[in-house]
Amino acid sequence: WYQRRVRERAIEEDILPERIYQGSSGSYFVKDRKQHIIGVFKPKNEEPYGHLNPKWTKWMQKMCFPCCFGRSCLLPNQGYLSEAGASIVDSKLGLNIVPNTKVVALASDTFNYTKFDRAKAKSVKFATERFPDTLGKKMKQGLPPKVGSFQVFVNGYKDADAWIRRFQEEPLPPKMKEHFQRLFERLVCLDYIIRNTDRGNDNWLIKYDKGEEDPAKAIHIAAIDNGLAFPFKHPDEWRAYPYYWAWLPNASEPFSDETRDLLLHKLKDLELVQDMLDELCRLFKCDKAFDRALQLKQVSVIRGQILNLCQALEEKKTPLQLVQMPLLRIESEGKGKERSSFIQKFQDKYPLFSSC
């Protein structure tokens, strides 16, 4: 509630969200009344394939290369739900690496609106100011709110790619390196469970205070840009969308006992997992295009990923070995509350290119 009021009051006082010019979609830094960035807002209709995306690159891709447009394993224009869903998984499993993310509705003149919406808002403003005692009490002023994801902004972090290169030149002290490995394993587990199709080293962040001796206070990571996750099937056409962290040296280290102790009992707790899936379902239902059949397919992928992850943790595999395990889905039988038995189905079709 507090975060919502802070951003709304700032917009009311003309401290408007600022468009982020990097990336392939319309996303915005939201500020408070002191001009401090407090979050990142990503409207649904300005996502990479949204009809109001202000970036022309995706429009060109759609016009010139329609066969390569979109990701066939993902539901279109559901990135805002994916961002919030990753935050739910992070919270339920106690990973603490995803900045708090919620679905909100905001309106601002800096967002990308149609000419019709802007003309309508201008006309309503004129009418309500001209007739404050009549129309002014009945008509709502302003541009229509946009639904999207709002992620709390994290200060002092840099792209992981920059820090990883530096760590190769200036190795971390042993205790610091060990702690970073534990955080890296949490990122691996998150991405694997939600089947993130867009995890490069430029969309997770690292914060490192070299002068701090306590590893838990000195080094942190943040998993941002989770908008291309929760597929309803494993990639099986042109691209595999691999996890790029799998090529890092850290991915060749076996999962630690600390990570096993943190996650294994939770992932084996059927009630906890079901509670997490139910909360994801309630989130996905917020969208007007919600499809129950496709949502069940998303759940079947998540269950399959969890099963593989449990096995990898039990056998102390490495993250690299984890991503090499056979892909599977776990589908439930029956309908409604009678869904009590499950069937494993292994992936029998693989993408043409496995390294991109």
Side-chain angles (χ1 to χ4, degrees):
W1 176 89
Y2 175 75
Q3 283 280 358
R4 181 182 66 188
R5 189 60 191 139
V6 166
R7 57 180 177 256
E8 288 176 351
R9 288 186 67 180
I11 293 174
E12 289 169 0
E13 296 179 16
D14 283 335
I15 303 173
L16 303 179
E18 178 184 336
R19 183 180 295 171
I20 302 171
Y21 286 94
Q22 296 91 340
S24 58
S25 65
S27 53
Y28 302 83
F29 286 130
V30 179
K31 301 178 180 180
D32 62 14
R33 300 166 70 188
K34 296 180 179 179
Q35 298 281 355
H36 298 149
I37 297 175
I38 59 171
V40 175
F41 179 63
K42 298 181 180 180
K44 169 184 167 63
N45 59 17
E46 296 188 35
E47 290 183 5
Y49 306 110
H51 70 286
L52 288 178
N53 182 3
K55 310 290 178 63
W56 63 269
T57 51
K58 288 299 177 182
W59 179 86
M60 284 290 293
Q61 182 184 354
K62 183 177 183 180
M63 294 297 104
C64 302
F65 306 100
C67 62
C68 301
F69 182 69
R71 303 191 179 198
S72 62
C73 58
L74 296 176
L75 299 177
N77 296 328
Q78 303 274 299
Y80 75 111
L81 296 179
S82 181
E83 294 276 6
S87 184
I88 289 174
V89 174
D90 174 85
S91 176
K92 291 291 183 182
L93 299 180
L95 299 173
N96 299 319
I97 59 171
V98 178
N100 190 28
T101 311
K102 301 292 183 182
V103 172
V104 303
L106 291 177
S108 170
D109 190 59
T110 51
F111 297 160
N112 194 31
Y113 285 98
T114 63
K115 291 182 179 179
F116 173 80
D117 282 335
R118 291 191 181 277
K120 182 180 178 182
K122 188 175 181 180
S123 299
V124 170
K125 182 180 180 181
F126 172 80
T128 54
E129 290 177 350
R130 181 71 177 81
F131 306 102
D133 296 329
T134 54
L135 294 178
K137 295 180 179 180
K138 297 180 180 180
M139 300 181 70
K140 187 176 181 181
Q141 293 190 43
L143 292 161
K146 291 193 174 213
V147 174
S149 63
F150 179 86
Q151 185 172 86
V152 172
F153 184 74
V154 288
N155 290 292
Y157 287 73
K158 295 181 180 179
D159 287 352
D161 188 56
W163 276 116
I164 289 171
R165 293 177 186 274
R166 184 169 175 179
F167 292 159
Q168 291 173 347
E169 298 173 359
E170 305 174 20
L172 290 168
K175 289 185 178 180
M176 210 70 71
K177 182 179 179 181
E178 181 180 347
H179 182 66
F180 176 69
Q181 179 67 25
R182 305 298 170 261
L183 295 175
F184 172 79
E185 291 171 9
R186 295 187 183 195
L187 174 73
V188 168
C189 294
L190 171 75
D191 281 348
Y192 193 79
I193 291 171
I194 68 176
R195 187 44 182 107
N196 196 334
T197 67
D198 186 39
R199 179 65 78 205
N201 291 330
D202 58 345
N203 57 12
W204 59 285
L205 309 175
I206 298 175
K207 181 179 181 180
Y208 178 45
D209 182 357
K210 196 172 181 179
E212 175 63 56
E213 295 183 358
D214 183 355
K217 295 180 180 179
I219 194 163
H220 308 271
I221 71 170
I224 62 169
D225 287 344
N226 301 299
L228 295 173
F230 299 101
F232 62 89
K233 65 175 182 176
H234 290 289
D236 60 2
E237 295 187 11
W238 289 96
R239 298 173 58 190
Y241 306 111
Y243 311 94
Y244 285 92
W245 42 250
W247 290 305
L248 296 176
N250 305 78
S252 297
E253 297 286 333
F255 281 107
S256 63
D257 289 337
E258 181 180 318
T259 300
R260 293 174 72 250
D261 293 341
L262 172 67
L263 289 177
L264 197 52
H265 71 282
K266 295 178 182 177
L267 297 176
K268 285 189 170 185
D269 186 335
L270 298 182
E271 290 187 5
L272 187 150
V273 170
Q274 188 59 52
D275 181 60
M276 179 178 73
L277 296 175
D278 288 343
E279 189 165 345
L280 288 172
C281 181
R282 288 192 291 272
L283 170 69
F284 296 156
K285 280 184 178 179
C286 294
D287 194 84
K288 293 181 179 179
F290 175 77
D291 186 308
R292 177 62 175 167
L294 290 176
Q295 189 266 331
L296 290 175
K297 290 183 178 181
Q298 289 176 299
V299 168
S300 71
V301 173
I302 295 172
R303 287 190 182 277
Q305 297 292 90
I306 288 176
L307 183 63
N308 272 353
L309 180 56
C310 284
Q311 182 180 341
L313 291 173
E314 286 178 331
E315 298 177 3
K316 291 191 175 182
K317 293 180 181 290
T318 67
L320 179 58
Q321 290 172 325
L322 169 65
V323 301
Q324 294 171 341
M325 295 176 70
L327 299 176
L328 59 92
R329 307 185 314 277
I330 299 182
E331 299 181 353
S332 55
E333 289 187 310
K335 295 182 179 180
K337 296 181 179 180
E338 297 178 1
R339 294 179 182 274
S340 56
S341 57
F342 299 92
I343 301 176
Q344 292 186 27
K345 292 188 177 181
F346 286 91
Q347 179 87 342
D348 56 5
K349 181 182 176 183
Y350 290 88
L352 184 62
F353 302 103
S354 59
S355 60
C356 64

